[in-house]
Amino acid sequence: MAATTYVGKPISRVDGRAKVTGEAKYAGEFNTAGLVYGYVVSSAITKGKITKIDTSQALSIPGVLQVFTHENAPRPAHFDRSFKDDDAVAGAPLKPLYSPEIGFSMQPIALVVADTFEIARYAASLVEVEYKAEKPETDLTSKPKGHKAPKGKSGFTPPKDRGNAKKAFEMADVQFEAEYVHMPEHHNALEMFSSTVLMDEEGKLKIYDKTQSAFNSQKYITQVFGLSKDEARVVSPFVGGGFGSGLRPQYQLYLAVMAALELKRSVRVTLTRQQMFSLGHRPATLQTVSLGASEAGALQAIKHEALSETSRGEEYTEVIVNWSGSLYQCDNVKLDYYLRNLDVSTPMDMRAPGAATGVLATETAMDELSYKLGMDPLELRLLNYAEVNQLEGKPFSSKALRECYAQGAERFGWSRRNPVPRSTREGTKLIGWGMATGIWDAQQKKAAAKANLSVDGKLVVASGTADIGTGTYTAMSIIAAETLGLPIEAVTFKLGDTTLPEAPLEGGSWTVSSVGTAVQEACEAIGKKLFKLAKKLKDSPLKKAAFEDIAFADGRIQLKGNPSASVSIIETMRQTGINYIEEETTALPNFLKQMKYSRNTHSAVFVEVEVDEDLGQICVRRVVSAIAGGRVINPKTARSQILGGIVWGISMALHEESVLDHDFGRIMNHNLSEYHVPVNADIHDLEVIFVEEHDKIVNPLGAKGLGEIGLVGVAAAVGNAIYHATGKRVRDFPITLDKLL
Ligand code: MOS
């Protein structure tokens, strides 16, 4: 690869200063004169009906403007037609304040609007509600079991069987089968969901929304309220964490727009931390994995069946079992996926949806099989290494997983591992080492970007994507600066606004590959124009050059191999009388090239734990994660991304769990003191290794995306290390200390 100035170099966040100084504003921080505040009243029951709702006391409080309930809230005509957002699933989306029916715990049942947030919150406590409650069903693991996810309708097509897994499993020398379960997890980003709707004199809306796609919020609002795009601009410059929760519009957006249109005022609605638990979540799943192998360890059969929860109204599905058909070489594979409708809010994508949970089961089962075979867990995986993706019947566009295993094991010191569980101790602490594999997709979506280079040397690049904290501003600035050979300080990247060129949802780990490609193309188009101008200059050293012969570096257009034959970009524009050059492009994936290959990221995760023999306390002392994610645009933010994934994997293994009281269907720990997430004291030595792949298939940048792969496999590796430490296998996640005693 050619030498680079910025790509592949550790660059600090271009928006870092704005974030730490408070200059960066989030959806709930934009103000305007006359802004009023909405506070959501949440249902106190999980299932049933509101029989009476009395708002008179709330309305009597000075400063309260209105209390919207199902009795007086408008029912936009469009509610009765089908409306879809870009991340919608099959079924009927939530229609807030539409009817007295209650379908899940903390469903929004009223919106109090007042002059101040405090008045609205107080008045909300005075809304009196009577219910007729029914017994909810919220326990996935109780009988009866689910129905098969309908083919196609739910957006999910179960993969075809490969060979005959049932027979091969029965015939296998060594058989292993187990059931795994994990509890739901709720997205708990630092930033609460908030929408600030500013209404101008003409009644047009400018909506500051917490979202992973301003376009998706706009699409929802324009469909539901019958507005034109011009009447509902959505802006979202900064997002304080999303993790998938911002892929779908949340109900505070609906309520804020509804109230603004009704009251003809600017309105803000912000949810509380407790109300975050009324939104979607990573669904609980119950999985059975069956592995058949030869005595030498060759996989002969894989069966993986998952039962997952969804709401009554929508069929949320995610790819849980398919990974088991891709990860290893095996000719007999059967994958099944079932859903069960429960009285819960519709689940929602959460980082590495499906893979985080499906691979947890598979990679725990692989570890269990390795002990049954008396084989090293890493050796078992190498023996069954998938050179091609049998699930898709295609070669991988690139796959450096073997190198991930090798480099990760080397750095971790895996070869020094004593294979016997419970063989290592330090005083009362049992020490264990475990590992697991991760896999995710490398996708590219259609995306547009525009770039404007002015004669003062400033480059403004824009695309209506999002930066949910992952480093989009920085990555795009790097790509633009690199493409045109400009200093990164000369580049401004704009995002999060529906007036900018359209970008896909920021999700699925596809933002760099999709938006980055569009940014590169827009800047290249400027480069071509500059080159034409440069050739026209008097005594231009580039007169005879073709575009392929030149490079952009140090603010100049140079002949490759002869940098002294060059012209300044600014001088070129100045001398040709050009004030600015603007180009807009839409980058499309090269489907014909891409469809011949499976495009995936991979990881190898190694974990050391210590477990207190008497107290069951678990400490993850060390994690080494080796990542194969194509080309790394910014190793600094990429590393942060993977570190976040590791921390979340530890959280998934040990801490995170939405605890339901199934008698009432209510989440009992809907706050951050009882919904445990790791704190600094839980996180120790984390190491990230990038094994770069030079992949020309995935997209022109060769970057596969690093948003989700950091999480996949981590929880399994932690559980596997705990088994190695203690000799006790816990198949019920999270692994809390009571399960070890
Ligand atoms: Mo991610 S769950 O695609 O935000």
Side-chain angles (χ1 to χ4, degrees):
M1 267 193 184
T4 58
T5 310
Y6 297 112
V7 171
K9 307 286 162 63
I11 308 290
S12 292
R13 286 170 195 267
V14 297
D15 53 332
R17 192 186 151 78
K19 281 192 161 175
V20 298
T21 54
E23 190 189 309
K25 278 196 179 181
Y26 296 81
E29 297 182 321
F30 290 89
N31 289 316
T32 189
L35 181 71
V36 294
Y37 300 79
Y39 191 92
V40 177
V41 180
S42 304
S43 166
I45 64 163
T46 299
K47 186 180 185 178
K49 212 176 158 151
I50 298 170
T51 52
K52 193 175 168 210
I53 187 157
D54 182 353
T55 59
S56 55
Q57 270 202 71
L59 283 166
S60 74
I61 302 293
V64 172
L65 300 168
Q66 183 55 294
V67 181
F68 293 99
T69 71
H70 69 278
E71 291 178 345
N72 67 346
R75 299 179 187 204
H78 302 265
F79 251 10
D80 297 326
R81 300 195 210 132
S82 75
F83 59 94
K84 286 280 174 218
D85 65 78
D86 282 340
D87 198 42
V89 297
L94 175 69
K95 297 172 183 174
L97 314 189
Y98 189 72
S99 86
E101 308 290 331
I102 304 294
F104 61 91
S105 179
M106 294 187 76
Q107 181 179 316
I109 57 168
L111 181 77
V112 180
V113 185
D115 288 335
T116 69
F117 175 80
E118 290 75 13
I119 292 173
R121 181 175 57 185
Y122 173 62
S125 73
L126 302 177
V127 174
E128 287 182 8
V129 192
E130 287 172 24
Y131 304 93
K132 183 171 182 296
E134 291 170 43
K135 172 97 172 68
E137 262 183 70
T138 52
D139 186 0
L140 180 75
T141 61
S142 75
K143 307 287 171 196
K145 296 241 167 153
H147 65 270
K148 196 159 195 165
K151 196 171 180 179
K153 182 187 157 226
S154 60
F156 180 88
T157 311
K160 283 201 206 84
D161 289 356
R162 185 153 93 221
N164 186 336
K166 186 172 178 285
K167 197 165 153 215
F169 181 70
E170 280 163 11
M171 306 277 287
D173 299 338
V174 179
Q175 295 153 343
F176 173 77
E177 186 171 275
E179 195 172 84
Y180 303 93
V181 65
H182 71 85
M183 293 298 111
E185 295 179 353
H186 277 80
H187 308 73
N188 267 288
L190 276 179
E191 184 196 9
M192 253 48 92
F193 274 94
S194 188
S195 304
T196 303
V197 180
L198 308 189
M199 180 176 271
D200 72 11
E201 281 152 19
E202 291 168 58
K204 287 186 184 174
L205 307 180
K206 184 178 184 188
I207 305 166
Y208 291 97
D209 189 32
K210 168 174 171 156
T211 176
Q212 289 173 242
S213 169
F215 286 98
N216 197 27
S217 295
Q218 184 189 48
K219 183 180 246 183
Y220 171 83
I221 287 303
T222 53
Q223 284 180 87
V224 170
F225 292 99
L227 300 173
S228 69
K229 288 183 179 180
D230 180 52
E231 290 167 317
R233 174 181 173 192
V234 178
V235 182
S236 184
F238 292 96
V239 178
F243 318 123
S245 64
L247 292 172
R248 292 194 78 178
Q250 300 296 357
Y251 61 77
Q252 93 291 339
L253 173 64
Y254 172 84
L255 293 173
V257 172
M258 180 272 288
L261 292 172
E262 287 297 301
L263 301 172
K264 312 229 174 321
R265 304 276 305 247
S266 296
V267 178
R268 163 146 71 237
V269 179
T270 304
L271 301 188
T272 63
R273 177 61 65 189
Q274 285 75 13
Q275 286 166 343
M276 298 291 283
F277 289 80
S278 66
L279 307 178
H281 51 276
R282 192 193 291 289
T285 59
L286 186 62
Q287 304 179 63
T288 306
V289 180
S290 320
L291 302 173
S294 70
E295 265 170 35
L299 284 169
Q300 293 166 332
I302 299 174
K303 291 191 286 173
H304 187 173
E305 181 186 305
L307 171 69
S308 195
E309 61 175 318
T310 190
S311 62
R312 297 281 178 201
E314 289 180 291
E315 305 259 294
Y316 173 82
T317 58
E318 56 188 14
V319 176
I320 294 179
V321 293
N322 297 26
W323 313 101
S324 295
S326 304
L327 270 170
Y328 299 107
Q329 164 69 38
C330 182
D331 294 334
N332 302 291
V333 176
K334 184 164 172 47
L335 307 171
D336 288 300
Y337 180 64
Y338 302 90
L339 280 182
R340 183 166 175 199
N341 296 100
L342 294 171
D343 300 307
V344 297
S345 60
T346 304
M348 196 160 58
D349 290 316
M350 184 186 276
R351 192 184 284 193
T357 51
V359 174
L360 170 60
T362 312
E363 285 299 287
T364 308
M366 283 294 281
D367 195 67
E368 300 209 51
L369 178 68
S370 76
Y371 288 96
K372 204 161 178 184
L373 288 161
M375 248 177 119
D376 178 89
L378 175 55
E379 201 184 311
L380 175 66
R381 286 163 173 90
L382 287 168
L383 183 77
N384 292 289
Y385 194 85
E387 298 291 352
V388 299
N389 185 346
Q390 287 178 289
L391 184 75
E392 297 182 353
K394 294 172 187 177
F396 291 99
S397 61
S398 60
K399 180 178 175 180
L401 176 59
R402 212 185 278 284
E403 293 75 11
C404 289
Y405 285 139
Q407 292 186 30
E410 169 69 26
R411 195 72 58 91
F412 187 82
W414 186 258
S415 62
R416 299 194 307 273
R417 179 175 178 270
N418 183 331
V420 183
R422 223 183 156 82
S423 58
T424 310
R425 66 164 65 231
E426 290 172 12
T428 59
K429 311 276 195 222
L430 299 166
I431 313 298
W433 288 6
M435 58 84 55
T437 314
I439 181 170
W440 186 250
D441 295 317
Q443 302 184 69
Q444 186 190 355
K445 303 277 175 191
K446 177 184 168 184
K450 74 177 173 204
N452 183 311
L453 177 67
S454 52
V455 69
D456 60 0
K458 298 264 185 276
L459 178 66
V460 178
V461 187
S463 174
T465 181
D467 188 337
I468 57 176
T470 42
T472 310
Y473 278 109
T474 314
M476 298 308 149
S477 301
I478 289 173
I479 292 165
E482 188 76 51
T483 308
L484 281 173
L486 296 170
I488 195 165
E489 296 76 21
V491 179
T492 305
F493 185 71
K494 292 185 176 168
L495 54 70
D497 190 329
T498 51
T499 60
L500 301 177
E502 187 158 354
L505 298 164
E506 186 181 48
S509 300
W510 59 56
T511 298
V512 165
S513 71
S514 311
V515 181
T517 300
V519 165
Q520 189 178 46
E521 285 184 6
C523 292
E524 268 168 10
I526 289 180
K528 285 192 175 141
K529 289 211 165 153
L530 279 172
F531 175 57
K532 272 192 190 157
L533 296 173
K535 284 170 80 107
K536 288 190 208 154
L537 297 176
K538 192 169 170 286
D539 302 325
S540 172
L542 308 175
K543 274 203 162 62
K544 288 183 191 151
F547 189 70
E548 293 69 40
D549 303 329
I550 57 143
F552 293 86
D554 304 325
R556 302 182 74 81
I557 313 174
Q558 310 172 339
L559 267 182
K560 279 182 190 160
N562 181 14
S564 58
S566 69
V567 297
S568 145
I569 289 172
I570 291 177
E571 276 308 306
T572 298
M573 291 176 77
R574 203 169 280 159
Q575 288 182 27
T576 51
I578 302 288
N579 286 327
Y580 68 91
I581 305 172
E582 182 166 289
E583 289 290 329
E584 180 166 342
T585 55
T586 298
L588 291 164
N590 185 338
F591 289 114
L592 285 178
K593 187 166 152 189
Q594 293 179 355
M595 68 192 286
K596 295 183 200 135
Y597 298 89
S598 287
R599 288 155 288 126
N600 294 95
T601 51
H602 290 89
S603 68
V605 190
F606 297 84
V607 169
E608 176 179 309
V609 298
E610 66 172 46
V611 180
D612 188 295
E613 198 180 6
D614 302 321
L615 302 174
Q617 278 178 323
I618 305 158
C619 169
V620 176
R621 299 211 296 198
R622 218 152 56 85
V623 181
V624 175
S625 178
I627 303 283
R631 192 180 188 198
V632 178
I633 302 296
N634 183 359
K636 191 167 185 177
T637 48
R639 177 175 174 274
S640 295
Q641 189 67 10
I642 302 304
L643 291 177
I646 297 172
V647 171
W648 206 347
I650 293 170
S651 189
M652 189 175 188
L654 304 180
H655 304 289
E656 241 174 292
E657 161 176 34
S658 304
V659 180
L660 281 111
D661 178 333
H662 294 301
D663 285 336
F664 298 98
R666 307 270 288 171
I667 297 165
M668 306 314 291
N669 59 342
H670 62 321
N671 56 69
L672 283 183
S673 68
E674 292 164 293
Y675 181 90
H676 289 173
V677 295
V679 296
N680 281 347
D682 294 307
I683 301 303
H684 300 275
D685 184 10
L686 311 183
E687 196 169 341
V688 180
I689 299 168
F690 288 108
V691 180
E692 287 210 71
E693 298 163 313
H694 301 299
D695 191 320
K696 297 221 161 69
I697 309 294
V698 284
N699 55 65
L701 288 164
K704 285 183 170 178
L706 297 167
E708 342 234 350
I709 186 63
L711 172 62
V712 188
V714 177
V718 173
N720 296 342
I722 291 171
Y723 174 76
H724 183 244
T726 62
K728 183 152 183 185
R729 183 66 70 173
V730 180
R731 302 191 180 100
D732 168 6
F733 293 86
I735 305 175
T736 46
L737 51 79
D738 52 298
K739 295 174 190 170
L740 286 175
L741 296 175

